[in-house]
Amino acid sequence: MTDEQDKGIIVFGRDITKIPCFRNSFLYGVSGGLAFGLAHFLFTSRTLRSVNYSVYSFSMITIGYWMHCRYNYSKTKFEVMRLQEMLEKQAMLEGTDQFPQTNQQPEIVDV
């Protein structure tokens, strides 16, 4: 790969292709805004108001999906960090006296 192929889209000094949830938020916002504006135009035939509704719905869908996606991303990231800490702690304690013995044989009960 050349250096030109690795470049992303830089906005304000930040590569927006690396931002989580950015792509999906804008895709859903654009498609939802376009659909809502077109549907409003088909029912009312008011061009200016349809364009305004299209922009409003684009903004609301994009912001709403962005907040929902980032909340889930942050929650998942926090859970992964906690799991990594627990795995590191288990690796440190494995083979020592402090390691909990959970590999006990289950009791067999005759019925």
Side-chain angles (χ1 to χ4, degrees), residues 68-85:
H68 173 72
C69 184
R70 288 300 287 201
Y71 173 75
N72 288 335
Y73 175 77
S74 297
K75 190 168 66 169
T76 304
K77 187 176 178 181
F78 178 72
E79 290 172 358
V80 167
M81 286 184 354
R82 282 187 56 205
L83 183 61
Q84 282 180 334
E85 289 175 6

Side-chain angles (χ1 to χ4, degrees), residues 55-103:
V55 171
Y56 298 151
S57 62
F58 161 75
S59 302
M60 290 297 130
I61 292 169
T62 303
I63 290 170
Y65 188 80
W66 174 267
M67 291 187 324
H68 173 72
C69 184
R70 288 300 287 201
Y71 173 75
N72 288 335
Y73 175 77
S74 297
K75 190 168 66 169
T76 304
K77 187 176 178 181
F78 178 72
E79 290 172 358
V80 167
M81 286 184 354
R82 282 187 56 205
L83 183 61
Q84 282 180 334
E85 289 175 6
M86 290 170 35
L87 288 173
E88 288 174 4
K89 184 178 178 181
Q90 181 182 357
M92 295 273 282
L93 294 178
E94 192 172 4
T96 64
D97 293 336
Q98 296 175 351
F99 187 71
Q101 297 297 326
T102 57
N103 297 334

Side-chain angles (χ1 to χ4, degrees), residues 40-52:
H40 188 270
F41 177 73
L42 289 175
F43 287 116
T44 63
S45 297
R46 293 182 172 176
T47 309
L48 185 59
R49 184 176 286 179
S50 296
V51 171
N52 287 341

